[in-house]
PDB file of all heavy atoms in Angstrom:
ATOM      1  N   THR Z   1     103.124 -64.022 -50.358  1.00 98.00           N
ATOM      2  CA  THR Z   1     101.993 -64.379 -49.512  1.00 98.00           C
ATOM      3  C   THR Z   1     101.463 -65.748 -49.927  1.00 98.00           C
ATOM      4  O   THR Z   1     101.167 -65.970 -51.101  1.00 98.00           O
ATOM      5  CB  THR Z   1     100.856 -63.351 -49.631  1.00 98.00           C
ATOM      6  OG1 THR Z   1     101.344 -62.053 -49.282  1.00 98.00           O
ATOM      7  CG2 THR Z   1      99.704 -63.718 -48.699  1.00 98.00           C
ATOM      8  N   ILE Z   2     101.370 -66.640 -48.954  1.00 98.00           N
ATOM      9  CA  ILE Z   2     100.800 -67.962 -49.199  1.00 98.00           C
ATOM     10  C   ILE Z   2      99.343 -67.956 -48.765  1.00 98.00           C
ATOM     11  O   ILE Z   2      98.985 -67.339 -47.751  1.00 98.00           O
ATOM     12  CB  ILE Z   2     101.597 -69.063 -48.471  1.00 98.00           C
ATOM     13  CG1 ILE Z   2     101.141 -70.448 -48.926  1.00 98.00           C
ATOM     14  CG2 ILE Z   2     101.529 -68.896 -46.965  1.00 98.00           C
ATOM     15  CD1 ILE Z   2     102.039 -71.588 -48.414  1.00 98.00           C
ATOM     16  N   SER Z   3      98.508 -68.633 -49.534  1.00 98.00           N
ATOM     17  CA  SER Z   3      97.091 -68.751 -49.191  1.00 98.00           C
ATOM     18  C   SER Z   3      96.573 -70.074 -49.748  1.00 98.00           C
ATOM     19  O   SER Z   3      97.266 -70.737 -50.513  1.00 98.00           O
ATOM     20  CB  SER Z   3      96.289 -67.575 -49.751  1.00 98.00           C
ATOM     21  OG  SER Z   3      96.357 -67.557 -51.171  1.00 98.00           O
ATOM     22  N   ARG Z   4      95.378 -70.425 -49.338  1.00 97.00           N
ATOM     23  CA  ARG Z   4      94.804 -71.675 -49.835  1.00 97.00           C
ATOM     24  C   ARG Z   4      93.304 -71.523 -49.983  1.00 97.00           C
ATOM     25  O   ARG Z   4      92.662 -70.759 -49.260  1.00 97.00           O
ATOM     26  CB  ARG Z   4      95.144 -72.844 -48.920  1.00 97.00           C
ATOM     27  CG  ARG Z   4      94.561 -72.780 -47.528  1.00 97.00           C
ATOM     28  CD  ARG Z   4      95.160 -73.860 -46.631  1.00 97.00           C
ATOM     29  NE  ARG Z   4      94.893 -75.198 -47.117  1.00 97.00           N
ATOM     30  CZ  ARG Z   4      95.602 -76.273 -46.779  1.00 97.00           C
ATOM     31  NH1 ARG Z   4      96.626 -76.157 -45.946  1.00 97.00           N
ATOM     32  NH2 ARG Z   4      95.274 -77.470 -47.257  1.00 97.00           N
ATOM     33  N   ASP Z   5      92.770 -72.288 -50.921  1.00 96.00           N
ATOM     34  CA  ASP Z   5      91.322 -72.367 -51.128  1.00 96.00           C
ATOM     35  C   ASP Z   5      90.974 -73.845 -51.036  1.00 96.00           C
ATOM     36  O   ASP Z   5      91.171 -74.599 -52.000  1.00 96.00           O
ATOM     37  CB  ASP Z   5      90.944 -71.784 -52.486  1.00 96.00           C
ATOM     38  CG  ASP Z   5      89.439 -71.741 -52.720  1.00 96.00           C
ATOM     39  OD1 ASP Z   5      88.717 -72.503 -52.047  1.00 96.00           O
ATOM     40  OD2 ASP Z   5      89.008 -70.969 -53.571  1.00 96.00           O
ATOM     41  N   ASN Z   6      90.486 -74.275 -49.888  1.00 94.00           N
ATOM     42  CA  ASN Z   6      90.232 -75.691 -49.683  1.00 94.00           C
ATOM     43  C   ASN Z   6      89.086 -76.202 -50.551  1.00 94.00           C
ATOM     44  O   ASN Z   6      89.035 -77.389 -50.869  1.00 94.00           O
ATOM     45  CB  ASN Z   6      89.956 -75.959 -48.210  1.00 94.00           C
ATOM     46  CG  ASN Z   6      91.234 -75.901 -47.373  1.00 94.00           C
ATOM     47  OD1 ASN Z   6      92.349 -76.004 -47.902  1.00 94.00           O
ATOM     48  ND2 ASN Z   6      91.084 -75.711 -46.073  1.00 94.00           N
ATOM     49  N   ALA Z   7      88.202 -75.325 -50.934  1.00 94.00           N
ATOM     50  CA  ALA Z   7      87.114 -75.747 -51.820  1.00 94.00           C
ATOM     51  C   ALA Z   7      87.632 -76.093 -53.211  1.00 94.00           C
ATOM     52  O   ALA Z   7      87.029 -76.903 -53.925  1.00 94.00           O
ATOM     53  CB  ALA Z   7      86.071 -74.651 -51.913  1.00 94.00           C
ATOM     54  N   LYS Z   8      88.758 -75.498 -53.579  1.00 95.00           N
ATOM     55  CA  LYS Z   8      89.353 -75.747 -54.898  1.00 95.00           C
ATOM     56  C   LYS Z   8      90.571 -76.650 -54.826  1.00 95.00           C
ATOM     57  O   LYS Z   8      91.235 -76.868 -55.839  1.00 95.00           O
ATOM     58  CB  LYS Z   8      89.731 -74.420 -55.566  1.00 95.00           C
ATOM     59  CG  LYS Z   8      88.549 -73.524 -55.879  1.00 95.00           C
ATOM     60  CD  LYS Z   8      88.996 -72.256 -56.583  1.00 95.00           C
ATOM     61  CE  LYS Z   8      87.805 -71.385 -56.945  1.00 95.00           C
ATOM     62  NZ  LYS Z   8      88.220 -70.124 -57.641  1.00 95.00           N
ATOM     63  N   ASN Z   9      90.880 -77.133 -53.614  1.00 95.00           N
ATOM     64  CA  ASN Z   9      92.049 -78.002 -53.437  1.00 95.00           C
ATOM     65  C   ASN Z   9      93.323 -77.366 -53.986  1.00 95.00           C
ATOM     66  O   ASN Z   9      94.158 -78.032 -54.618  1.00 95.00           O
ATOM     67  CB  ASN Z   9      91.832 -79.362 -54.112  1.00 95.00           C
ATOM     68  CG  ASN Z   9      90.827 -80.227 -53.397  1.00 95.00           C
ATOM     69  OD1 ASN Z   9      90.371 -79.878 -52.302  1.00 95.00           O
ATOM     70  ND2 ASN Z   9      90.472 -81.337 -53.988  1.00 95.00           N
ATOM     71  N   THR Z  10      93.496 -76.090 -53.726  1.00 97.00           N
ATOM     72  CA  THR Z  10      94.596 -75.345 -54.322  1.00 97.00           C
ATOM     73  C   THR Z  10      95.267 -74.459 -53.276  1.00 97.00           C
ATOM     74  O   THR Z  10      94.589 -73.841 -52.450  1.00 97.00           O
ATOM     75  CB  THR Z  10      94.099 -74.495 -55.494  1.00 97.00           C
ATOM     76  OG1 THR Z  10      93.493 -75.347 -56.471  1.00 97.00           O
ATOM     77  CG2 THR Z  10      95.249 -73.754 -56.148  1.00 97.00           C
ATOM     78  N   VAL Z  11      96.584 -74.408 -53.345  1.00 98.00           N
ATOM     79  CA  VAL Z  11      97.366 -73.477 -52.548  1.00 98.00           C
ATOM     80  C   VAL Z  11      98.053 -72.507 -53.512  1.00 98.00           C
ATOM     81  O   VAL Z  11      98.430 -72.895 -54.616  1.00 98.00           O
ATOM     82  CB  VAL Z  11      98.378 -74.212 -51.642  1.00 98.00           C
ATOM     83  CG1 VAL Z  11      99.399 -74.984 -52.456  1.00 98.00           C
ATOM     84  CG2 VAL Z  11      99.071 -73.240 -50.706  1.00 98.00           C
ATOM     85  N   TYR Z  12      98.175 -71.269 -53.079  1.00 98.00           N
ATOM     86  CA  TYR Z  12      98.717 -70.218 -53.924  1.00 98.00           C
ATOM     87  C   TYR Z  12      99.958 -69.605 -53.286  1.00 98.00           C
ATOM     88  O   TYR Z  12     100.116 -69.616 -52.066  1.00 98.00           O
ATOM     89  CB  TYR Z  12      97.678 -69.117 -54.139  1.00 98.00           C
ATOM     90  CG  TYR Z  12      96.380 -69.594 -54.732  1.00 98.00           C
ATOM     91  CD1 TYR Z  12      95.283 -69.853 -53.903  1.00 98.00           C
ATOM     92  CD2 TYR Z  12      96.242 -69.802 -56.094  1.00 98.00           C
ATOM     93  CE1 TYR Z  12      94.083 -70.300 -54.437  1.00 98.00           C
ATOM     94  CE2 TYR Z  12      95.046 -70.244 -56.640  1.00 98.00           C
ATOM     95  CZ  TYR Z  12      93.971 -70.489 -55.799  1.00 98.00           C
ATOM     96  OH  TYR Z  12      92.782 -70.933 -56.336  1.00 98.00           O
ATOM     97  N   LEU Z  13     100.788 -69.021 -54.137  1.00 98.00           N
ATOM     98  CA  LEU Z  13     101.912 -68.227 -53.666  1.00 98.00           C
ATOM     99  C   LEU Z  13     101.931 -66.949 -54.496  1.00 98.00           C
ATOM    100  O   LEU Z  13     102.268 -66.974 -55.683  1.00 98.00           O
ATOM    101  CB  LEU Z  13     103.241 -68.979 -53.811  1.00 98.00           C
ATOM    102  CG  LEU Z  13     104.450 -68.251 -53.226  1.00 98.00           C
ATOM    103  CD1 LEU Z  13     104.335 -68.206 -51.695  1.00 98.00           C
ATOM    104  CD2 LEU Z  13     105.752 -68.930 -53.631  1.00 98.00           C
ATOM    105  N   GLN Z  14     101.512 -65.863 -53.876  1.00 98.00           N
ATOM    106  CA  GLN Z  14     101.561 -64.561 -54.529  1.00 98.00           C
ATOM    107  C   GLN Z  14     102.941 -63.971 -54.294  1.00 98.00           C
ATOM    108  O   GLN Z  14     103.356 -63.802 -53.143  1.00 98.00           O
ATOM    109  CB  GLN Z  14     100.493 -63.633 -53.958  1.00 98.00           C
ATOM    110  CG  GLN Z  14     100.505 -62.234 -54.545  1.00 98.00           C
ATOM    111  CD  GLN Z  14     100.139 -62.198 -56.017  1.00 98.00           C
ATOM    112  OE1 GLN Z  14      99.199 -62.871 -56.436  1.00 98.00           O
ATOM    113  NE2 GLN Z  14     100.878 -61.439 -56.798  1.00 98.00           N
ATOM    114  N   MET Z  15     103.633 -63.671 -55.384  1.00 98.00           N
ATOM    115  CA  MET Z  15     105.003 -63.182 -55.298  1.00 98.00           C
ATOM    116  C   MET Z  15     105.060 -61.776 -55.868  1.00 98.00           C
ATOM    117  O   MET Z  15     104.793 -61.574 -57.058  1.00 98.00           O
ATOM    118  CB  MET Z  15     105.946 -64.111 -56.069  1.00 98.00           C
ATOM    119  CG  MET Z  15     105.847 -65.568 -55.634  1.00 98.00           C
ATOM    120  SD  MET Z  15     107.086 -66.624 -56.411  1.00 98.00           S
ATOM    121  CE  MET Z  15     106.593 -66.508 -58.119  1.00 98.00           C
ATOM    122  N   ASN Z  16     105.388 -60.829 -55.029  1.00 98.00           N
ATOM    123  CA  ASN Z  16     105.492 -59.425 -55.428  1.00 98.00           C
ATOM    124  C   ASN Z  16     106.926 -58.946 -55.272  1.00 98.00           C
ATOM    125  O   ASN Z  16     107.733 -59.574 -54.578  1.00 98.00           O
ATOM    126  CB  ASN Z  16     104.569 -58.570 -54.582  1.00 98.00           C
ATOM    127  CG  ASN Z  16     103.101 -58.927 -54.756  1.00 98.00           C
ATOM    128  OD1 ASN Z  16     102.669 -59.380 -55.820  1.00 98.00           O
ATOM    129  ND2 ASN Z  16     102.323 -58.728 -53.700  1.00 98.00           N
ATOM    130  N   SER Z  17     107.227 -57.819 -55.905  1.00 98.00           N
ATOM    131  CA  SER Z  17     108.562 -57.221 -55.810  1.00 98.00           C
ATOM    132  C   SER Z  17     109.650 -58.248 -56.089  1.00 98.00           C
ATOM    133  O   SER Z  17     110.622 -58.368 -55.331  1.00 98.00           O
ATOM    134  CB  SER Z  17     108.762 -56.590 -54.427  1.00 98.00           C
ATOM    135  OG  SER Z  17     107.782 -55.608 -54.168  1.00 98.00           O
ATOM    136  N   LEU Z  18     109.477 -58.979 -57.154  1.00 98.00           N
ATOM    137  CA  LEU Z  18     110.408 -60.068 -57.455  1.00 98.00           C
ATOM    138  C   LEU Z  18     111.798 -59.549 -57.758  1.00 98.00           C
ATOM    139  O   LEU Z  18     111.980 -58.463 -58.329  1.00 98.00           O
ATOM    140  CB  LEU Z  18     109.872 -60.898 -58.622  1.00 98.00           C
ATOM    141  CG  LEU Z  18     108.747 -61.864 -58.240  1.00 98.00           C
ATOM    142  CD1 LEU Z  18     107.972 -62.297 -59.461  1.00 98.00           C
ATOM    143  CD2 LEU Z  18     109.307 -63.065 -57.509  1.00 98.00           C
ATOM    144  N   LYS Z  19     112.778 -60.350 -57.364  1.00 98.00           N
ATOM    145  CA  LYS Z  19     114.187 -60.020 -57.557  1.00 98.00           C
ATOM    146  C   LYS Z  19     114.851 -61.125 -58.385  1.00 98.00           C
ATOM    147  O   LYS Z  19     114.385 -62.266 -58.376  1.00 98.00           O
ATOM    148  CB  LYS Z  19     114.876 -59.931 -56.200  1.00 98.00           C
ATOM    149  CG  LYS Z  19     114.241 -58.956 -55.229  1.00 98.00           C
ATOM    150  CD  LYS Z  19     114.933 -59.022 -53.870  1.00 98.00           C
ATOM    151  CE  LYS Z  19     114.293 -58.076 -52.879  1.00 98.00           C
ATOM    152  NZ  LYS Z  19     114.959 -58.134 -51.545  1.00 98.00           N
ATOM    153  N   PRO Z  20     115.945 -60.806 -59.037  1.00 97.00           N
ATOM    154  CA  PRO Z  20     116.645 -61.851 -59.794  1.00 97.00           C
ATOM    155  C   PRO Z  20     117.015 -63.062 -58.937  1.00 97.00           C
ATOM    156  O   PRO Z  20     117.001 -64.197 -59.434  1.00 97.00           O
ATOM    157  CB  PRO Z  20     117.886 -61.129 -60.320  1.00 97.00           C
ATOM    158  CG  PRO Z  20     117.450 -59.713 -60.445  1.00 97.00           C
ATOM    159  CD  PRO Z  20     116.527 -59.471 -59.288  1.00 97.00           C
ATOM    160  N   GLU Z  21     117.292 -62.842 -57.683  1.00 97.00           N
ATOM    161  CA  GLU Z  21     117.654 -63.958 -56.803  1.00 97.00           C
ATOM    162  C   GLU Z  21     116.475 -64.851 -56.444  1.00 97.00           C
ATOM    163  O   GLU Z  21     116.653 -65.887 -55.793  1.00 97.00           O
ATOM    164  CB  GLU Z  21     118.338 -63.450 -55.523  1.00 97.00           C
ATOM    165  CG  GLU Z  21     117.597 -62.355 -54.801  1.00 97.00           C
ATOM    166  CD  GLU Z  21     118.117 -60.969 -55.162  1.00 97.00           C
ATOM    167  OE1 GLU Z  21     118.347 -60.704 -56.371  1.00 97.00           O
ATOM    168  OE2 GLU Z  21     118.258 -60.134 -54.250  1.00 97.00           O
ATOM    169  N   ASP Z  22     115.264 -64.471 -56.860  1.00 98.00           N
ATOM    170  CA  ASP Z  22     114.100 -65.350 -56.684  1.00 98.00           C
ATOM    171  C   ASP Z  22     114.005 -66.393 -57.797  1.00 98.00           C
ATOM    172  O   ASP Z  22     113.149 -67.279 -57.750  1.00 98.00           O
ATOM    173  CB  ASP Z  22     112.808 -64.530 -56.666  1.00 98.00           C
ATOM    174  CG  ASP Z  22     112.709 -63.615 -55.460  1.00 98.00           C
ATOM    175  OD1 ASP Z  22     113.066 -64.053 -54.356  1.00 98.00           O
ATOM    176  OD2 ASP Z  22     112.272 -62.460 -55.639  1.00 98.00           O
ATOM    177  N   THR Z  23     114.872 -66.277 -58.790  1.00 98.00           N
ATOM    178  CA  THR Z  23     114.871 -67.234 -59.890  1.00 98.00           C
ATOM    179  C   THR Z  23     115.167 -68.642 -59.390  1.00 98.00           C
ATOM    180  O   THR Z  23     116.172 -68.870 -58.718  1.00 98.00           O
ATOM    181  CB  THR Z  23     115.914 -66.832 -60.948  1.00 98.00           C
ATOM    182  OG1 THR Z  23     115.526 -65.586 -61.532  1.00 98.00           O
ATOM    183  CG2 THR Z  23     116.033 -67.886 -62.030  1.00 98.00           C
ATOM    184  N   ALA Z  24     114.264 -69.564 -59.694  1.00 98.00           N
ATOM    185  CA  ALA Z  24     114.386 -70.942 -59.219  1.00 98.00           C
ATOM    186  C   ALA Z  24     113.228 -71.758 -59.770  1.00 98.00           C
ATOM    187  O   ALA Z  24     112.274 -71.205 -60.328  1.00 98.00           O
ATOM    188  CB  ALA Z  24     114.365 -70.989 -57.692  1.00 98.00           C
ATOM    189  N   VAL Z  25     113.306 -73.053 -59.559  1.00 98.00           N
ATOM    190  CA  VAL Z  25     112.139 -73.925 -59.744  1.00 98.00           C
ATOM    191  C   VAL Z  25     111.406 -73.964 -58.410  1.00 98.00           C
ATOM    192  O   VAL Z  25     112.019 -74.229 -57.370  1.00 98.00           O
ATOM    193  CB  VAL Z  25     112.545 -75.338 -60.190  1.00 98.00           C
ATOM    194  CG1 VAL Z  25     111.307 -76.228 -60.316  1.00 98.00           C
ATOM    195  CG2 VAL Z  25     113.302 -75.284 -61.510  1.00 98.00           C
ATOM    196  N   TYR Z  26     110.121 -73.697 -58.463  1.00 98.00           N
ATOM    197  CA  TYR Z  26     109.304 -73.652 -57.256  1.00 98.00           C
ATOM    198  C   TYR Z  26     108.466 -74.929 -57.164  1.00 98.00           C
ATOM    199  O   TYR Z  26     107.804 -75.326 -58.136  1.00 98.00           O
ATOM    200  CB  TYR Z  26     108.405 -72.428 -57.275  1.00 98.00           C
ATOM    201  CG  TYR Z  26     109.135 -71.157 -56.945  1.00 98.00           C
ATOM    202  CD1 TYR Z  26     110.060 -70.604 -57.828  1.00 98.00           C
ATOM    203  CD2 TYR Z  26     108.935 -70.512 -55.728  1.00 98.00           C
ATOM    204  CE1 TYR Z  26     110.770 -69.453 -57.520  1.00 98.00           C
ATOM    205  CE2 TYR Z  26     109.627 -69.355 -55.408  1.00 98.00           C
ATOM    206  CZ  TYR Z  26     110.536 -68.831 -56.307  1.00 98.00           C
ATOM    207  OH  TYR Z  26     111.226 -67.687 -55.988  1.00 98.00           O
ATOM    208  N   TYR Z  27     108.509 -75.533 -55.974  1.00 98.00           N
ATOM    209  CA  TYR Z  27     107.809 -76.788 -55.718  1.00 98.00           C
ATOM    210  C   TYR Z  27     106.811 -76.619 -54.576  1.00 98.00           C
ATOM    211  O   TYR Z  27     107.104 -75.928 -53.597  1.00 98.00           O
ATOM    212  CB  TYR Z  27     108.791 -77.884 -55.316  1.00 98.00           C
ATOM    213  CG  TYR Z  27     109.842 -78.214 -56.327  1.00 98.00           C
ATOM    214  CD1 TYR Z  27     111.070 -77.569 -56.325  1.00 98.00           C
ATOM    215  CD2 TYR Z  27     109.630 -79.207 -57.284  1.00 98.00           C
ATOM    216  CE1 TYR Z  27     112.055 -77.883 -57.244  1.00 98.00           C
ATOM    217  CE2 TYR Z  27     110.609 -79.528 -58.212  1.00 98.00           C
ATOM    218  CZ  TYR Z  27     111.812 -78.862 -58.186  1.00 98.00           C
ATOM    219  OH  TYR Z  27     112.783 -79.182 -59.103  1.00 98.00           O
ATOM    220  N   CYS Z  28     105.683 -77.275 -54.690  1.00 98.00           N
ATOM    221  CA  CYS Z  28     104.788 -77.337 -53.540  1.00 98.00           C
ATOM    222  C   CYS Z  28     104.873 -78.735 -52.928  1.00 98.00           C
ATOM    223  O   CYS Z  28     105.130 -79.723 -53.619  1.00 98.00           O
ATOM    224  CB  CYS Z  28     103.348 -76.991 -53.897  1.00 98.00           C
ATOM    225  SG  CYS Z  28     102.506 -78.160 -54.974  1.00 98.00           S
ATOM    226  N   GLY Z  29     104.691 -78.759 -51.631  1.00 97.00           N
ATOM    227  CA  GLY Z  29     104.743 -80.010 -50.891  1.00 97.00           C
ATOM    228  C   GLY Z  29     103.545 -80.141 -49.969  1.00 97.00           C
ATOM    229  O   GLY Z  29     102.982 -79.138 -49.522  1.00 97.00           O
ATOM    230  N   LEU Z  30     103.183 -81.370 -49.679  1.00 96.00           N
ATOM    231  CA  LEU Z  30     102.056 -81.658 -48.788  1.00 96.00           C
ATOM    232  C   LEU Z  30     102.554 -82.518 -47.628  1.00 96.00           C
ATOM    233  O   LEU Z  30     103.291 -83.491 -47.838  1.00 96.00           O
ATOM    234  CB  LEU Z  30     100.952 -82.390 -49.560  1.00 96.00           C
ATOM    235  CG  LEU Z  30      99.668 -82.760 -48.813  1.00 96.00           C
ATOM    236  CD1 LEU Z  30      98.486 -82.738 -49.767  1.00 96.00           C
ATOM    237  CD2 LEU Z  30      99.770 -84.118 -48.152  1.00 96.00           C
ATOM    238  N   ARG Z  31     102.150 -82.143 -46.445  1.00 96.00           N
ATOM    239  CA  ARG Z  31     102.563 -82.873 -45.237  1.00 96.00           C
ATOM    240  C   ARG Z  31     101.375 -83.665 -44.725  1.00 96.00           C
ATOM    241  O   ARG Z  31     100.338 -83.090 -44.369  1.00 96.00           O
ATOM    242  CB  ARG Z  31     103.036 -81.885 -44.173  1.00 96.00           C
ATOM    243  CG  ARG Z  31     103.565 -82.543 -42.927  1.00 96.00           C
ATOM    244  CD  ARG Z  31     104.254 -81.517 -42.033  1.00 96.00           C
ATOM    245  NE  ARG Z  31     104.880 -82.169 -40.887  1.00 96.00           N
ATOM    246  CZ  ARG Z  31     104.291 -82.324 -39.713  1.00 96.00           C
ATOM    247  NH1 ARG Z  31     103.077 -81.853 -39.537  1.00 96.00           N
ATOM    248  NH2 ARG Z  31     104.931 -82.925 -38.739  1.00 96.00           N
TER     249      ARG Z  31
END
């Protein structure tokens, strides 16, 4: 689940039920 708190200038990624195939470097991007 992705969410954001604009008052804190922060975006979140809640990751549940993680699997081995989720292993990676995670990057955030701004458009």
Side-chain angles (χ1 to χ4, degrees):
T1 302
I2 190 171
S3 62
R4 65 190 299 159
D5 184 339
N6 285 341
K8 296 182 178 180
N9 289 353
T10 301
V11 63
Y12 303 98
L13 185 69
Q14 178 66 43
M15 306 186 296
N16 297 330
S17 302
L18 283 161
K19 304 176 181 180
E21 51 263 44
D22 294 318
T23 295
V25 178
Y26 283 70
Y27 300 91
C28 67
L30 181 149
R31 184 169 185 267

